[in-house]
Each structure stands twice: as structure tokens, then as C-alpha cells.
Amino acid sequence: MENKTLSDIKINLVEHSKINDIDFENLSFGNVFTDHMLVCDYTNGEWNTPEIKAYAPFTIEPSARVFHYGQAIFEGMKAYKDEQDDVWLFRPDQNYERFNKSAVRLAMPEVPQDVFIDGLKKLLQIEKDWVKRGNGKSLYIRPFMIATSSGVIASPSLNYRFCIILSPAKSYYSGEVKVVIADHYSRAANGGIGAAKAAGNYSAQFYPTKLANEKGFQQIIWTDDATHTKLEEAGTMNVFFRINDTLYTAPTSERILDGVTRKSLIELAKRENINVEVKSVLVEELIAAAKDGSLKEIFGAGTAAVVNPIAGFGYKDEYFELPKLEKSFALHLKEKLTNIQTKVEPDTFGWTVKI
């Protein structure tokens, strides 16, 4: 293996890439990873020199506090390749800022920009051949941080590990999605960590989602924890509702994640002359709109799928099918956003960053 130091990043390259063994046309999302990862440890109150090395397991104590007290955060990002074989990131500054907000909320150290952004760029330069051209193709980026101090005392860790791993992805399609509106379980509560991308937020969703799956629904539209009357998120995504020709989405809060795709779609919709209102939509308003025919669309918004249309929703003992539209806001906005991400259309917002 080749060892060298460049721009304060240790680089330890693999001798043989596994890229030729990968079938890029038949990828299962998030199961295949590139040759290298970035690792940086926080010890003695400071960040050490980051290292890019072979993607491989690493050793951690069974008493590491991530296992016992849940200090773990992550981000989801993508890199895209245009027709000139240049690689681009989409709004990485937003993911970086949100990552550190999550770190602060979980009493973890903030990651310096030269470790997160510069380290990611260097990693992508090394792994650029893993970013494939074509509609829907991308390289999924997963930065994460875990607590590594040994000991089972209930207190924040002293040591942490920050990593970035990469996974090639094809066009994400989950089939027809039907959702059920939550009337008991909650994704997050006021004063909690719902606005952070904390691992525990997602594990807490698995059981109620399992119950929804057993009833024939793929996801849950979460409601506020206090009254279960305000519609907030769909599964692990932000959610939009189209009533007549206006899009509605809930304002961000301590319970709702400040999604990068969400805020991008809001700006894009305004540019496309689609009326958008950031306000809470009540369950009773949604049901009334479904009954009188003014509810046209519901769709989730997130990094993996970009936009995920919803075919229908259930609430208590009722089910409401959504109309099939020729002029869907969801599909129009998805096309426009992915065209910006892949440089098919000009980026008038300044969102894309060349590697």
C-alpha cells in the first residue's frame, strides 16, 4: 500500500480496486461501498490528522459509549457526474452546518471544515471513478460520528470517531407508497432531538413502521407529539401536500429536520411559479381536502429518493386514494432538481460545488 501525506490528510491507498467487480446496473441502495473511507479521531480535546484508507472494519471497545448512551449522528449527501465527467456536490455547506448542529445537540465536538469538507473533496477525487454518469446515478455519501470512549458511566464521551463512507447508487424507486397517519406514536417531541440527524431518531421509528407495514402501509406520516393533529414528516423524509395548486409543508422546529432537499424544493417551486406556504397542515384539513377533491398530491422529500410520490393515506379506519395526475408538481420539481444536481440545466441558485 502507498503511504503519503497531502494537505494534512494521510492517504493510504489500496493496491487493487474492487470497482471492476461491481455491477453498477443492479445496485441495492446502501449495500456496496467504495475502496476507501475517511477516518478522523478526536482525542485529548482535539481532532487528529484525518486519514483516507481502505474501507474496512475497525476495532472498538464493547464498552464504547456509542453502544450504551447513543451518541451517534450522521448526514446523507450525494455526488453527481456530468457529461464532461466532472464530479459535483450539492449544497455541501448545508450538510456540514447541520452535522455540527446535530453534534452540539448531542454534546459531541464540532467537526472542523477542513476535516469534513476538504476531507470529503479529497476522498471524492480518489474515488471519482465510482461516480457514474446517467439519469438517477450518483454516489451516496454518509458522514457520521460516534462516541468511542470506554466505560459505562452515563456521561458524554471524551473520544469520538468521524468517518465518511461512500456508496454508489442508482435511481431510487421504492414502488407505490401508501402511508398511515400516526395517532399514537411520535417521531420526536418538543425539547428532544428530532431536529438532529441522530441515530436514535431512526431506530425509534422502526417499531411503529413495522406495525404500519403489517397493515399494508409502507411509511408513516408523523404528527406532533402533543396533540397528533399537525402533519409533520413522512417516514424519514420531509413531506409536502398539494391542495388545489398550492404546496404546503410544515415549518422546521425542534421536532422536524431541516431537510436540504426540502429547502431546495421550496426555492425551486417559487422559481417555477408554484405557490408554496410553509405552515402546519392539520389532519382534519387533509381529510377534508381528500373528501372534497382539492387534495391533489402528497410527496416526501429527501436525499435518497429526492422526491417520493405517495399514492394514498390511511387514518384510523379510513383510506384515501390520491388522484393520478398528468401534471404532477412532485415529478416536475424532481426533474428540475435532479437536472440541476447533474448539470443538465444551469444552476441559477449556486448550489452545486465542483470537485
Side-chain angles (χ1 to χ4, degrees):
M1 304 180 89
E2 179 185 356
N3 294 288
K4 59 183 176 180
T5 301
L6 182 64
S7 301
D8 295 321
I9 297 177
K10 295 179 183 177
I11 310 237
N12 196 359
L13 301 178
V14 300
E15 292 180 355
H16 303 287
S17 175
K18 61 191 177 189
I19 192 169
N20 292 328
D21 298 327
I22 306 302
D23 182 357
F24 284 89
E25 298 303 319
N26 292 286
L27 293 169
S28 177
F29 183 79
N31 285 332
V32 172
F33 296 92
T34 64
D35 294 315
H36 301 90
M37 62 182 181
L38 181 141
V39 178
C40 189
D41 289 320
Y42 180 89
T43 57
N44 299 317
E46 63 181 13
W47 287 101
N48 301 330
T49 300
E51 180 180 7
I52 293 175
K53 59 182 182 179
Y55 175 89
F58 52 75
T59 302
I60 189 169
E61 292 277 355
S63 58
R65 293 187 193 175
V66 63
F67 299 136
H68 303 275
Y69 302 110
Q71 279 185 294
I73 60 173
F74 66 93
E75 272 297 325
M77 310 167 64
K78 281 183 178 178
Y80 305 86
K81 183 171 281 185
D82 65 18
E83 291 302 312
Q84 287 71 48
D85 284 334
D86 291 322
V87 176
W88 298 82
L89 286 168
F90 182 72
R91 308 190 75 176
D93 58 316
Q94 298 296 308
N95 294 98
Y96 171 67
E97 290 175 11
R98 190 173 65 183
F99 188 87
N100 278 337
K101 288 179 181 178
S102 297
V104 169
R105 182 60 184 85
L106 270 76
M108 305 170 84
E110 295 182 62
V111 177
Q113 182 170 320
D114 59 351
V115 174
F116 191 108
I117 298 293
D118 296 347
L120 173 57
K121 288 180 177 180
K122 178 57 64 177
L123 182 61
L124 287 172
Q125 289 170 8
I126 292 169
E127 303 286 57
K128 63 182 183 298
D129 290 342
W130 289 82
V131 191
K132 299 301 182 181
R133 287 183 298 171
N135 183 36
K137 294 181 179 178
S138 62
L139 187 66
Y140 184 77
I141 302 164
R142 172 53 61 91
F144 67 97
M145 179 164 52
I146 59 173
T148 56
S149 286
S150 177
V152 294
I153 183 172
S155 64
S157 180
L158 298 176
N159 302 324
Y160 297 87
R161 173 160 287 189
F162 171 73
C163 293
I164 302 176
I165 56 177
L166 309 173
S167 178
K170 54 183 288 190
S171 183
Y172 186 97
Y173 178 68
S174 60
E176 187 174 83
V177 176
K178 296 181 178 181
V179 299
V180 62
I181 295 175
D183 60 1
H184 174 70
Y185 292 103
S186 300
R187 193 196 83 85
N190 283 331
I193 58 172
K197 279 192 77 73
N201 286 344
Y202 296 79
S203 62
Q205 294 187 48
F206 293 156
Y207 176 66
T209 302
K210 175 178 177 288
L211 297 180
N213 295 162
E214 291 170 354
K215 295 180 179 179
F217 298 97
Q218 286 71 48
Q219 288 291 351
I220 296 173
I221 289 187
W222 302 101
T223 50
D224 67 291
D225 63 300
T227 67
H228 292 292
T229 60
K230 298 176 182 179
L231 299 158
E232 300 199 326
E233 292 188 321
T236 59
M237 309 176 78
N238 295 116
V239 63
F240 287 79
F241 307 94
R242 175 185 173 185
I243 298 176
N244 290 318
D245 285 330
T246 297
L247 279 181
Y248 298 90
T249 191
T252 56
S253 68
E254 291 180 312
R255 303 185 305 274
I256 299 176
L257 193 70
D258 186 14
V260 178
T261 304
R262 170 192 174 276
K263 64 178 68 175
S264 302
L265 289 176
I266 291 172
E267 292 303 310
L268 191 54
K270 291 177 180 177
R271 191 195 74 178
E272 295 295 302
N273 295 315
I274 296 172
N275 189 39
V276 183
E277 292 191 25
V278 178
K279 66 180 289 290
S280 295
V281 176
L282 300 180
V283 175
E284 62 182 19
E285 292 175 333
L286 190 73
I287 292 173
K291 289 181 175 179
D292 68 21
S294 60
L295 177 63
K296 306 300 184 184
E297 296 180 80
I298 304 174
F299 58 91
T303 299
V306 184
V307 167
N308 196 351
I310 291 169
F313 71 93
Y315 181 68
K316 297 188 183 296
D317 296 326
E318 291 187 282
Y319 177 76
F320 301 91
E321 192 80 17
L322 294 177
K324 302 290 191 292
L325 302 178
E326 289 186 10
K327 295 184 178 180
S328 162
F329 284 1
L331 298 182
H332 175 71
L333 291 173
K334 180 176 183 177
E335 179 183 21
K336 290 295 181 181
L337 186 57
T338 55
N339 282 349
I340 290 173
Q341 292 169 332
T342 56
K343 309 303 287 185
V344 172
E345 294 185 20
D347 173 16
T348 59
F349 298 97
W351 288 337
T352 50
V353 176
K354 189 176 180 179
I355 298 301

